[in-house]
Amino acid sequence: METAITCAVTGAPLPTLTQAGSGSSETNVLTWTTPFQVVAGARNSAAQAPSSWAIFRSTASSPLREGIWSQSRFKIGSQHSAAYVYALYTATLMGANFAQSKLASQTFTQSKAQHFVCKVLSELTWNRTDFTGTDLLSGKLFEAAAPAKRRIYWAIPNISAESATASQCIFDAVQAFYLSHNTPRDQQIAQRLTALYRDALDEGEAIRSASIVQFKNFFLANPGLGFPRVTLSAHGALRARWIKSKGNFVAIEFTGQPEAKLIAEIQGLEPPLHVSSEPIANIVEAARALGGSFA
Amino acid sequence: MNELDPSHHIFRHVGATKMHGDFVDPEAFALRTDEDTGEVIESGLSVNWVEYFRQSSPQATVAPLRCILEKKGRTVGAKSRFALLNVGATKAAAAEYVAVSIATDDDLQDPSHAQVKGYRDYNVAVSEELAKIVVATYPAKA
């Protein structure tokens, strides 16, 4: 049985699924039984949580949705190969990236990957009884291949999820700054973030996702602050510094934790250098109370 | 381990992510810390003794120094730079908080290697001071 599927975003055909009824098939000897169904959800669906991605459900029936994914709605029966499930999962992620703008703004979080690994891949416990073929050689090959395939499946999603999360956070932040109403400053920040991200990649460094999100939220919530110098700490946290003059500055390190690091040097303070951890919500007031300026 | 002459100079390699335009983040001069505890895990700041190379200018020192660092396995990014500091000025700046030593720490691979030591307890404060006395920066890859 074949199920033809095309990606709604790219229009490219996805690999076809052929379900083999016996082990005599050349390409689909290895079949796998799963209780899961694959459902492509609509991005704007109000009924479910964010669903730009293929969602793997354990329920027998899943509502199909209208919207951007309507052309690619698909529902696969209970028997399909694990390789196909993962190929579909990956293809859907790629489709989401190609769509960019609004569609891509639905962040593919690491938790989605963890869900895939913990809930879906944990079902991959092949044994001899899963083999549906009839000849002995195919059966032995099946047994030999199964452990190797499991190892591959456990390795790949973790790698994809890490990079997708960091790059997606940068993408979301840059997009948010470009779309903000505070155009001149936020465009500068967007350009700086992009350059910094490229520099980090060149130098083999990573920017913490939590730091990016905190940085973005902070600046969008504080449109009155000036354009700072933006750098990256040794531990991957974004740092912003407003320099009034030599020996007179305010700096914030966006740790990604509820408390950010405040460093300020203000003439008149005793001692002039102040270092503390402050709740991110109060950090501007704390710095201003010291006499700091964000101009 | 010989103390460097106060009239001499040191280079500190600064990655592109620690700079924004002509601004050098003071963290480039901070000793490395443990991510979880925040405890300083480095005994001294790695720098290179400029006069060792006996070149006509600091700029001329960059190419041989870059080769040394690359042979040691260090990543020298295309946009990274070398920050030039005077030894005497560095000691004076740090002395606002603590006395530091700047001495050679050469090895076979890197005979110009030196270390700035003695400010583990004043890591943030001294690194802020050192950033203020950067004489110039030079592209690591011209």
PDB file of all heavy atoms in Angstrom, chain A residues 192 199-200 203 205 208 229-235 239 241 246 249 265 273, chain B residues 15-20 23 25-27 33 35 77 79-80 124-125 128 132:
ATOM      1  N   ARG A 192      23.072  43.601  15.243  1.00  0.00           N
ATOM      2  CA  ARG A 192      24.169  43.216  16.129  1.00  0.00           C
ATOM      3  C   ARG A 192      24.035  41.747  16.541  1.00  0.00           C
ATOM      4  O   ARG A 192      25.028  41.019  16.579  1.00  0.00           O
ATOM      5  CB  ARG A 192      24.184  44.128  17.367  1.00  0.00           C
ATOM      6  CG  ARG A 192      25.215  43.760  18.402  1.00  0.00           C
ATOM      7  CD  ARG A 192      26.635  43.747  17.832  1.00  0.00           C
ATOM      8  NE  ARG A 192      27.584  43.156  18.757  1.00  0.00           N
ATOM      9  CZ  ARG A 192      28.721  42.570  18.390  1.00  0.00           C
ATOM     10  NH1 ARG A 192      29.063  42.515  17.125  1.00  0.00           N
ATOM     11  NH2 ARG A 192      29.530  42.062  19.294  1.00  0.00           N
ATOM     12  N   ASP A 199      29.622  35.448  14.449  1.00  0.00           N
ATOM     13  CA  ASP A 199      30.953  35.412  15.064  1.00  0.00           C
ATOM     14  C   ASP A 199      31.078  34.216  16.002  1.00  0.00           C
ATOM     15  O   ASP A 199      32.119  33.561  16.059  1.00  0.00           O
ATOM     16  CB  ASP A 199      31.216  36.709  15.837  1.00  0.00           C
ATOM     17  CG  ASP A 199      31.429  37.901  14.901  1.00  0.00           C
ATOM     18  OD1 ASP A 199      31.689  37.683  13.706  1.00  0.00           O
ATOM     19  OD2 ASP A 199      31.314  39.049  15.371  1.00  0.00           O
ATOM     20  N   ALA A 200      30.011  33.972  16.750  1.00  0.00           N
ATOM     21  CA  ALA A 200      30.033  32.840  17.694  1.00  0.00           C
ATOM     22  C   ALA A 200      30.200  31.528  16.929  1.00  0.00           C
ATOM     23  O   ALA A 200      30.969  30.651  17.341  1.00  0.00           O
ATOM     24  CB  ALA A 200      28.755  32.821  18.527  1.00  0.00           C
ATOM     25  N   GLU A 203      33.759  31.110  15.760  1.00  0.00           N
ATOM     26  CA  GLU A 203      34.746  30.849  16.810  1.00  0.00           C
ATOM     27  C   GLU A 203      34.396  29.602  17.633  1.00  0.00           C
ATOM     28  O   GLU A 203      35.017  29.340  18.659  1.00  0.00           O
ATOM     29  CB  GLU A 203      34.847  32.071  17.728  1.00  0.00           C
ATOM     30  CG  GLU A 203      35.126  33.335  16.917  1.00  0.00           C
ATOM     31  CD  GLU A 203      36.167  34.231  17.530  1.00  0.00           C
ATOM     32  OE1 GLU A 203      36.276  34.227  18.759  1.00  0.00           O
ATOM     33  OE2 GLU A 203      36.860  34.943  16.775  1.00  0.00           O
ATOM     34  N   GLU A 205      31.769  29.028  19.405  1.00  0.00           N
ATOM     35  CA  GLU A 205      31.093  29.320  20.671  1.00  0.00           C
ATOM     36  C   GLU A 205      29.593  29.193  20.493  1.00  0.00           C
ATOM     37  O   GLU A 205      29.091  29.181  19.371  1.00  0.00           O
ATOM     38  CB  GLU A 205      31.445  30.738  21.139  1.00  0.00           C
ATOM     39  CG  GLU A 205      32.916  30.916  21.457  1.00  0.00           C
ATOM     40  CD  GLU A 205      33.256  32.354  21.832  1.00  0.00           C
ATOM     41  OE1 GLU A 205      32.417  33.025  22.441  1.00  0.00           O
ATOM     42  OE2 GLU A 205      34.360  32.806  21.493  1.00  0.00           O
ATOM     43  N   ARG A 208      23.596  30.879  24.692  1.00  0.00           N
ATOM     44  CA  ARG A 208      22.546  30.168  25.421  1.00  0.00           C
ATOM     45  C   ARG A 208      21.160  30.623  24.971  1.00  0.00           C
ATOM     46  O   ARG A 208      20.885  31.824  24.920  1.00  0.00           O
ATOM     47  CB  ARG A 208      22.656  30.452  26.912  1.00  0.00           C
ATOM     48  CG  ARG A 208      23.602  29.543  27.628  1.00  0.00           C
ATOM     49  CD  ARG A 208      23.390  29.700  29.112  1.00  0.00           C
ATOM     50  NE  ARG A 208      24.625  29.992  29.779  1.00  0.00           N
ATOM     51  CZ  ARG A 208      24.714  30.590  30.947  1.00  0.00           C
ATOM     52  NH1 ARG A 208      23.627  31.002  31.565  1.00  0.00           N
ATOM     53  NH2 ARG A 208      25.873  30.788  31.511  1.00  0.00           N
ATOM     54  N   ARG A 229      26.455  48.286  23.751  1.00  0.00           N
ATOM     55  CA  ARG A 229      27.447  47.374  23.186  1.00  0.00           C
ATOM     56  C   ARG A 229      27.000  45.975  23.584  1.00  0.00           C
ATOM     57  O   ARG A 229      26.686  45.745  24.753  1.00  0.00           O
ATOM     58  CB  ARG A 229      28.831  47.631  23.769  1.00  0.00           C
ATOM     59  CG  ARG A 229      29.262  49.085  23.712  1.00  0.00           C
ATOM     60  CD  ARG A 229      29.687  49.471  22.342  1.00  0.00           C
ATOM     61  NE  ARG A 229      30.224  50.833  22.332  1.00  0.00           N
ATOM     62  CZ  ARG A 229      30.691  51.425  21.233  1.00  0.00           C
ATOM     63  NH1 ARG A 229      30.655  50.794  20.087  1.00  0.00           N
ATOM     64  NH2 ARG A 229      31.170  52.634  21.292  1.00  0.00           N
ATOM     65  N   VAL A 230      26.965  45.070  22.634  1.00  0.00           N
ATOM     66  CA  VAL A 230      26.484  43.721  22.922  1.00  0.00           C
ATOM     67  C   VAL A 230      27.603  42.720  22.641  1.00  0.00           C
ATOM     68  O   VAL A 230      28.145  42.686  21.533  1.00  0.00           O
ATOM     69  CB  VAL A 230      25.237  43.372  22.083  1.00  0.00           C
ATOM     70  CG1 VAL A 230      24.707  41.991  22.449  1.00  0.00           C
ATOM     71  CG2 VAL A 230      24.144  44.421  22.288  1.00  0.00           C
ATOM     72  N   THR A 231      27.936  41.935  23.641  1.00  0.00           N
ATOM     73  CA  THR A 231      28.991  40.927  23.501  1.00  0.00           C
ATOM     74  C   THR A 231      28.500  39.611  24.111  1.00  0.00           C
ATOM     75  O   THR A 231      27.354  39.527  24.594  1.00  0.00           O
ATOM     76  CB  THR A 231      30.287  41.374  24.214  1.00  0.00           C
ATOM     77  OG1 THR A 231      29.972  41.706  25.566  1.00  0.00           O
ATOM     78  CG2 THR A 231      30.911  42.581  23.525  1.00  0.00           C
ATOM     79  N   LEU A 232      29.386  38.642  24.095  1.00  0.00           N
ATOM     80  CA  LEU A 232      29.031  37.308  24.593  1.00  0.00           C
ATOM     81  C   LEU A 232      30.003  36.905  25.699  1.00  0.00           C
ATOM     82  O   LEU A 232      31.219  37.056  25.546  1.00  0.00           O
ATOM     83  CB  LEU A 232      29.111  36.305  23.432  1.00  0.00           C
ATOM     84  CG  LEU A 232      28.604  34.898  23.643  1.00  0.00           C
ATOM     85  CD1 LEU A 232      27.107  34.904  23.945  1.00  0.00           C
ATOM     86  CD2 LEU A 232      28.882  34.054  22.409  1.00  0.00           C
ATOM     87  N   SER A 233      29.454  36.387  26.787  1.00  0.00           N
ATOM     88  CA  SER A 233      30.327  35.976  27.893  1.00  0.00           C
ATOM     89  C   SER A 233      30.971  34.626  27.570  1.00  0.00           C
ATOM     90  O   SER A 233      30.563  33.935  26.640  1.00  0.00           O
ATOM     91  CB  SER A 233      29.527  35.871  29.192  1.00  0.00           C
ATOM     92  OG  SER A 233      28.862  34.622  29.250  1.00  0.00           O
ATOM     93  N   ALA A 234      31.932  34.260  28.396  1.00  0.00           N
ATOM     94  CA  ALA A 234      32.619  32.979  28.189  1.00  0.00           C
ATOM     95  C   ALA A 234      31.665  31.804  28.342  1.00  0.00           C
ATOM     96  O   ALA A 234      31.912  30.724  27.799  1.00  0.00           O
ATOM     97  CB  ALA A 234      33.763  32.855  29.188  1.00  0.00           C
ATOM     98  N   HIS A 235      30.569  32.000  29.073  1.00  0.00           N
ATOM     99  CA  HIS A 235      29.613  30.908  29.282  1.00  0.00           C
ATOM    100  C   HIS A 235      28.400  31.023  28.374  1.00  0.00           C
ATOM    101  O   HIS A 235      27.373  30.404  28.619  1.00  0.00           O
ATOM    102  CB  HIS A 235      29.174  30.870  30.750  1.00  0.00           C
ATOM    103  CG  HIS A 235      30.318  30.598  31.690  1.00  0.00           C
ATOM    104  ND1 HIS A 235      31.133  29.510  31.561  1.00  0.00           N
ATOM    105  CD2 HIS A 235      30.776  31.291  32.769  1.00  0.00           C
ATOM    106  CE1 HIS A 235      32.058  29.534  32.513  1.00  0.00           C
ATOM    107  NE2 HIS A 235      31.873  30.612  33.261  1.00  0.00           N
ATOM    108  N   ARG A 239      25.700  39.903  26.847  1.00  0.00           N
ATOM    109  CA  ARG A 239      26.001  41.018  27.744  1.00  0.00           C
ATOM    110  C   ARG A 239      25.724  42.329  27.017  1.00  0.00           C
ATOM    111  O   ARG A 239      26.072  42.468  25.836  1.00  0.00           O
ATOM    112  CB  ARG A 239      27.475  40.987  28.173  1.00  0.00           C
ATOM    113  CG  ARG A 239      27.823  39.810  29.078  1.00  0.00           C
ATOM    114  CD  ARG A 239      29.319  39.548  29.099  1.00  0.00           C
ATOM    115  NE  ARG A 239      30.074  40.630  29.681  1.00  0.00           N
ATOM    116  CZ  ARG A 239      30.583  40.635  30.920  1.00  0.00           C
ATOM    117  NH1 ARG A 239      30.420  39.579  31.690  1.00  0.00           N
ATOM    118  NH2 ARG A 239      31.261  41.651  31.372  1.00  0.00           N
ATOM    119  N   ARG A 241      26.119  46.624  27.384  1.00  0.00           N
ATOM    120  CA  ARG A 241      26.807  47.650  28.183  1.00  0.00           C
ATOM    121  C   ARG A 241      26.506  49.035  27.616  1.00  0.00           C
ATOM    122  O   ARG A 241      26.673  49.267  26.414  1.00  0.00           O
ATOM    123  CB  ARG A 241      28.317  47.381  28.175  1.00  0.00           C
ATOM    124  CG  ARG A 241      29.125  48.435  28.929  1.00  0.00           C
ATOM    125  CD  ARG A 241      30.590  48.048  29.029  1.00  0.00           C
ATOM    126  NE  ARG A 241      30.792  46.861  29.842  1.00  0.00           N
ATOM    127  CZ  ARG A 241      31.692  46.748  30.826  1.00  0.00           C
ATOM    128  NH1 ARG A 241      32.464  47.779  31.140  1.00  0.00           N
ATOM    129  NH2 ARG A 241      31.838  45.628  31.487  1.00  0.00           N
ATOM    130  N   LYS A 246      34.382  57.099  30.049  1.00  0.00           N
ATOM    131  CA  LYS A 246      35.362  56.164  30.598  1.00  0.00           C
ATOM    132  C   LYS A 246      35.156  56.056  32.114  1.00  0.00           C
ATOM    133  O   LYS A 246      35.134  57.073  32.813  1.00  0.00           O
ATOM    134  CB  LYS A 246      36.773  56.652  30.285  1.00  0.00           C
ATOM    135  CG  LYS A 246      37.833  55.592  30.494  1.00  0.00           C
ATOM    136  CD  LYS A 246      39.182  56.049  29.962  1.00  0.00           C
ATOM    137  CE  LYS A 246      40.225  54.952  30.090  1.00  0.00           C
ATOM    138  NZ  LYS A 246      41.519  55.341  29.552  1.00  0.00           N
ATOM    139  N   PHE A 249      29.657  53.410  33.431  1.00  0.00           N
ATOM    140  CA  PHE A 249      28.866  52.528  32.562  1.00  0.00           C
ATOM    141  C   PHE A 249      27.902  51.689  33.404  1.00  0.00           C
ATOM    142  O   PHE A 249      28.042  51.577  34.622  1.00  0.00           O
ATOM    143  CB  PHE A 249      29.786  51.605  31.761  1.00  0.00           C
ATOM    144  CG  PHE A 249      30.484  50.565  32.616  1.00  0.00           C
ATOM    145  CD1 PHE A 249      29.887  49.342  32.907  1.00  0.00           C
ATOM    146  CD2 PHE A 249      31.738  50.810  33.157  1.00  0.00           C
ATOM    147  CE1 PHE A 249      30.514  48.400  33.703  1.00  0.00           C
ATOM    148  CE2 PHE A 249      32.377  49.869  33.950  1.00  0.00           C
ATOM    149  CZ  PHE A 249      31.764  48.663  34.225  1.00  0.00           C
ATOM    150  N   GLU A 265      29.750  50.889  36.953  1.00  0.00           N
ATOM    151  CA  GLU A 265      30.800  51.729  37.513  1.00  0.00           C
ATOM    152  C   GLU A 265      30.304  53.166  37.393  1.00  0.00           C
ATOM    153  O   GLU A 265      30.041  53.653  36.286  1.00  0.00           O
ATOM    154  CB  GLU A 265      32.129  51.554  36.769  1.00  0.00           C
ATOM    155  CG  GLU A 265      33.253  52.337  37.429  1.00  0.00           C
ATOM    156  CD  GLU A 265      34.633  51.975  36.899  1.00  0.00           C
ATOM    157  OE1 GLU A 265      34.731  51.136  35.987  1.00  0.00           O
ATOM    158  OE2 GLU A 265      35.615  52.561  37.393  1.00  0.00           O
ATOM    159  N   LEU A 273      32.877  50.628  41.566  1.00  0.00           N
ATOM    160  CA  LEU A 273      32.419  49.439  40.842  1.00  0.00           C
ATOM    161  C   LEU A 273      31.405  48.670  41.674  1.00  0.00           C
ATOM    162  O   LEU A 273      31.661  48.312  42.829  1.00  0.00           O
ATOM    163  CB  LEU A 273      33.615  48.534  40.504  1.00  0.00           C
ATOM    164  CG  LEU A 273      33.295  47.362  39.587  1.00  0.00           C
ATOM    165  CD1 LEU A 273      32.927  47.837  38.188  1.00  0.00           C
ATOM    166  CD2 LEU A 273      34.478  46.396  39.515  1.00  0.00           C
TER     167      LEU A 273
ATOM    168  N   GLY B  15      38.681  37.185  21.273  1.00  0.00           N
ATOM    169  CA  GLY B  15      37.753  36.646  20.266  1.00  0.00           C
ATOM    170  C   GLY B  15      36.759  37.700  19.793  1.00  0.00           C
ATOM    171  O   GLY B  15      36.483  38.685  20.498  1.00  0.00           O
ATOM    172  N   ALA B  16      36.199  37.462  18.613  1.00  0.00           N
ATOM    173  CA  ALA B  16      35.280  38.443  18.011  1.00  0.00           C
ATOM    174  C   ALA B  16      34.030  38.660  18.860  1.00  0.00           C
ATOM    175  O   ALA B  16      33.452  39.751  18.859  1.00  0.00           O
ATOM    176  CB  ALA B  16      34.882  37.962  16.622  1.00  0.00           C
ATOM    177  N   THR B  17      33.615  37.645  19.599  1.00  0.00           N
ATOM    178  CA  THR B  17      32.382  37.783  20.393  1.00  0.00           C
ATOM    179  C   THR B  17      32.593  38.660  21.630  1.00  0.00           C
ATOM    180  O   THR B  17      31.627  39.018  22.299  1.00  0.00           O
ATOM    181  CB  THR B  17      31.866  36.406  20.846  1.00  0.00           C
ATOM    182  OG1 THR B  17      32.880  35.763  21.621  1.00  0.00           O
ATOM    183  CG2 THR B  17      31.494  35.539  19.653  1.00  0.00           C
ATOM    184  N   LYS B  18      33.856  38.981  21.917  1.00  0.00           N
ATOM    185  CA  LYS B  18      34.157  39.829  23.092  1.00  0.00           C
ATOM    186  C   LYS B  18      34.356  41.285  22.690  1.00  0.00           C
ATOM    187  O   LYS B  18      34.779  42.100  23.496  1.00  0.00           O
ATOM    188  CB  LYS B  18      35.428  39.333  23.806  1.00  0.00           C
ATOM    189  CG  LYS B  18      35.400  37.873  24.206  1.00  0.00           C
ATOM    190  CD  LYS B  18      34.530  37.639  25.416  1.00  0.00           C
ATOM    191  CE  LYS B  18      34.488  36.175  25.800  1.00  0.00           C
ATOM    192  NZ  LYS B  18      33.822  35.299  24.821  1.00  0.00           N
ATOM    193  N   MET B  19      34.069  41.562  21.409  1.00  0.00           N
ATOM    194  CA  MET B  19      34.248  42.937  20.929  1.00  0.00           C
ATOM    195  C   MET B  19      33.001  43.410  20.210  1.00  0.00           C
ATOM    196  O   MET B  19      32.273  42.613  19.605  1.00  0.00           O
ATOM    197  CB  MET B  19      35.441  42.996  19.958  1.00  0.00           C
ATOM    198  CG  MET B  19      36.766  42.725  20.625  1.00  0.00           C
ATOM    199  SD  MET B  19      38.127  42.761  19.442  1.00  0.00           S
ATOM    200  CE  MET B  19      37.840  41.287  18.521  1.00  0.00           C
ATOM    201  N   HIS B  20      32.781  44.697  20.303  1.00  0.00           N
ATOM    202  CA  HIS B  20      31.699  45.314  19.543  1.00  0.00           C
ATOM    203  C   HIS B  20      32.268  46.640  19.027  1.00  0.00           C
ATOM    204  O   HIS B  20      32.432  47.586  19.801  1.00  0.00           O
ATOM    205  CB  HIS B  20      30.476  45.544  20.437  1.00  0.00           C
ATOM    206  CG  HIS B  20      29.302  46.119  19.704  1.00  0.00           C
ATOM    207  ND1 HIS B  20      28.058  46.239  20.285  1.00  0.00           N
ATOM    208  CD2 HIS B  20      29.161  46.579  18.445  1.00  0.00           C
ATOM    209  CE1 HIS B  20      27.211  46.766  19.409  1.00  0.00           C
ATOM    210  NE2 HIS B  20      27.870  46.995  18.287  1.00  0.00           N
ATOM    211  N   PHE B  23      35.028  48.557  21.011  1.00  0.00           N
ATOM    212  CA  PHE B  23      34.866  48.223  22.431  1.00  0.00           C
ATOM    213  C   PHE B  23      35.344  46.797  22.693  1.00  0.00           C
ATOM    214  O   PHE B  23      34.946  45.863  21.995  1.00  0.00           O
ATOM    215  CB  PHE B  23      33.390  48.369  22.834  1.00  0.00           C
ATOM    216  CG  PHE B  23      33.054  47.738  24.157  1.00  0.00           C
ATOM    217  CD1 PHE B  23      33.493  48.304  25.343  1.00  0.00           C
ATOM    218  CD2 PHE B  23      32.288  46.586  24.230  1.00  0.00           C
ATOM    219  CE1 PHE B  23      33.191  47.730  26.566  1.00  0.00           C
ATOM    220  CE2 PHE B  23      31.964  46.012  25.444  1.00  0.00           C
ATOM    221  CZ  PHE B  23      32.417  46.582  26.615  1.00  0.00           C
ATOM    222  N   ASP B  25      35.225  43.942  25.506  1.00  0.00           N
ATOM    223  CA  ASP B  25      34.566  43.587  26.755  1.00  0.00           C
ATOM    224  C   ASP B  25      35.626  43.201  27.792  1.00  0.00           C
ATOM    225  O   ASP B  25      36.513  42.398  27.501  1.00  0.00           O
ATOM    226  CB  ASP B  25      33.615  42.402  26.524  1.00  0.00           C
ATOM    227  CG  ASP B  25      32.677  42.181  27.702  1.00  0.00           C
ATOM    228  OD1 ASP B  25      33.171  42.078  28.845  1.00  0.00           O
ATOM    229  OD2 ASP B  25      31.463  42.129  27.489  1.00  0.00           O
ATOM    230  N   PRO B  26      35.527  43.785  28.981  1.00  0.00           N
ATOM    231  CA  PRO B  26      36.514  43.457  30.020  1.00  0.00           C
ATOM    232  C   PRO B  26      36.593  41.965  30.334  1.00  0.00           C
ATOM    233  O   PRO B  26      37.602  41.495  30.853  1.00  0.00           O
ATOM    234  CB  PRO B  26      36.002  44.240  31.233  1.00  0.00           C
ATOM    235  CG  PRO B  26      35.250  45.375  30.647  1.00  0.00           C
ATOM    236  CD  PRO B  26      34.612  44.830  29.409  1.00  0.00           C
ATOM    237  N   GLU B  27      35.573  41.231  29.979  1.00  0.00           N
ATOM    238  CA  GLU B  27      35.639  39.797  30.263  1.00  0.00           C
ATOM    239  C   GLU B  27      36.780  39.126  29.508  1.00  0.00           C
ATOM    240  O   GLU B  27      37.222  38.041  29.873  1.00  0.00           O
ATOM    241  CB  GLU B  27      34.314  39.110  29.931  1.00  0.00           C
ATOM    242  CG  GLU B  27      34.106  37.945  30.862  1.00  0.00           C
ATOM    243  CD  GLU B  27      33.111  36.914  30.397  1.00  0.00           C
ATOM    244  OE1 GLU B  27      32.997  36.662  29.190  1.00  0.00           O
ATOM    245  OE2 GLU B  27      32.444  36.357  31.267  1.00  0.00           O
ATOM    246  N   THR B  33      36.038  31.138  34.862  1.00  0.00           N
ATOM    247  CA  THR B  33      35.324  30.704  36.070  1.00  0.00           C
ATOM    248  C   THR B  33      34.522  29.447  35.789  1.00  0.00           C
ATOM    249  O   THR B  33      34.193  29.151  34.639  1.00  0.00           O
ATOM    250  CB  THR B  33      34.348  31.797  36.553  1.00  0.00           C
ATOM    251  OG1 THR B  33      33.436  32.105  35.491  1.00  0.00           O
ATOM    252  CG2 THR B  33      35.078  33.062  36.977  1.00  0.00           C
ATOM    253  N   GLU B  35      31.255  27.459  35.495  1.00  0.00           N
ATOM    254  CA  GLU B  35      29.937  27.943  35.085  1.00  0.00           C
ATOM    255  C   GLU B  35      28.903  27.824  36.206  1.00  0.00           C
ATOM    256  O   GLU B  35      28.027  28.687  36.352  1.00  0.00           O
ATOM    257  CB  GLU B  35      29.464  27.157  33.853  1.00  0.00           C
ATOM    258  CG  GLU B  35      28.188  27.716  33.253  1.00  0.00           C
ATOM    259  CD  GLU B  35      27.863  27.112  31.895  1.00  0.00           C
ATOM    260  OE1 GLU B  35      28.645  26.289  31.401  1.00  0.00           O
ATOM    261  OE2 GLU B  35      26.810  27.477  31.358  1.00  0.00           O
ATOM    262  N   GLY B  77      40.078  33.174  15.230  1.00  0.00           N
ATOM    263  CA  GLY B  77      39.001  33.527  14.313  1.00  0.00           C
ATOM    264  C   GLY B  77      39.384  34.660  13.383  1.00  0.00           C
ATOM    265  O   GLY B  77      40.278  35.469  13.692  1.00  0.00           O
ATOM    266  N   LYS B  79      37.887  37.305  12.691  1.00  0.00           N
ATOM    267  CA  LYS B  79      37.623  38.659  13.193  1.00  0.00           C
ATOM    268  C   LYS B  79      38.226  38.904  14.579  1.00  0.00           C
ATOM    269  O   LYS B  79      37.969  39.942  15.183  1.00  0.00           O
ATOM    270  CB  LYS B  79      36.117  38.896  13.251  1.00  0.00           C
ATOM    271  CG  LYS B  79      35.459  38.977  11.892  1.00  0.00           C
ATOM    272  CD  LYS B  79      34.011  39.391  12.082  1.00  0.00           C
ATOM    273  CE  LYS B  79      33.200  39.191  10.835  1.00  0.00           C
ATOM    274  NZ  LYS B  79      31.766  39.318  11.118  1.00  0.00           N
ATOM    275  N   SER B  80      38.953  37.938  15.081  1.00  0.00           N
ATOM    276  CA  SER B  80      39.544  38.126  16.405  1.00  0.00           C
ATOM    277  C   SER B  80      40.707  39.120  16.307  1.00  0.00           C
ATOM    278  O   SER B  80      41.199  39.401  15.217  1.00  0.00           O
ATOM    279  CB  SER B  80      40.026  36.788  16.980  1.00  0.00           C
ATOM    280  OG  SER B  80      41.076  36.265  16.193  1.00  0.00           O
ATOM    281  N   VAL B 124      36.678  40.386  38.544  1.00  0.00           N
ATOM    282  CA  VAL B 124      35.852  41.326  37.763  1.00  0.00           C
ATOM    283  C   VAL B 124      36.465  42.722  37.801  1.00  0.00           C
ATOM    284  O   VAL B 124      36.600  43.386  36.764  1.00  0.00           O
ATOM    285  CB  VAL B 124      34.400  41.356  38.283  1.00  0.00           C
ATOM    286  CG1 VAL B 124      33.582  42.420  37.554  1.00  0.00           C
ATOM    287  CG2 VAL B 124      33.750  39.985  38.117  1.00  0.00           C
ATOM    288  N   ALA B 125      36.849  43.147  38.988  1.00  0.00           N
ATOM    289  CA  ALA B 125      37.356  44.517  39.143  1.00  0.00           C
ATOM    290  C   ALA B 125      38.641  44.736  38.344  1.00  0.00           C
ATOM    291  O   ALA B 125      38.779  45.742  37.628  1.00  0.00           O
ATOM    292  CB  ALA B 125      37.605  44.806  40.627  1.00  0.00           C
ATOM    293  N   GLU B 128      38.062  44.780  34.593  1.00  0.00           N
ATOM    294  CA  GLU B 128      37.505  46.076  34.174  1.00  0.00           C
ATOM    295  C   GLU B 128      38.624  47.112  34.017  1.00  0.00           C
ATOM    296  O   GLU B 128      38.625  47.893  33.072  1.00  0.00           O
ATOM    297  CB  GLU B 128      36.487  46.579  35.209  1.00  0.00           C
ATOM    298  CG  GLU B 128      35.166  45.814  35.235  1.00  0.00           C
ATOM    299  CD  GLU B 128      34.254  46.108  34.052  1.00  0.00           C
ATOM    300  OE1 GLU B 128      34.488  47.120  33.363  1.00  0.00           O
ATOM    301  OE2 GLU B 128      33.337  45.313  33.809  1.00  0.00           O
ATOM    302  N   LYS B 132      40.484  49.138  30.389  1.00  0.00           N
ATOM    303  CA  LYS B 132      40.603  50.598  30.218  1.00  0.00           C
ATOM    304  C   LYS B 132      41.963  51.021  29.670  1.00  0.00           C
ATOM    305  O   LYS B 132      42.111  52.130  29.176  1.00  0.00           O
ATOM    306  CB  LYS B 132      40.399  51.298  31.572  1.00  0.00           C
ATOM    307  CG  LYS B 132      38.977  51.238  32.092  1.00  0.00           C
ATOM    308  CD  LYS B 132      38.925  51.882  33.472  1.00  0.00           C
ATOM    309  CE  LYS B 132      37.617  51.605  34.178  1.00  0.00           C
ATOM    310  NZ  LYS B 132      37.654  51.962  35.599  1.00  0.00           N
TER     311      LYS B 132
END
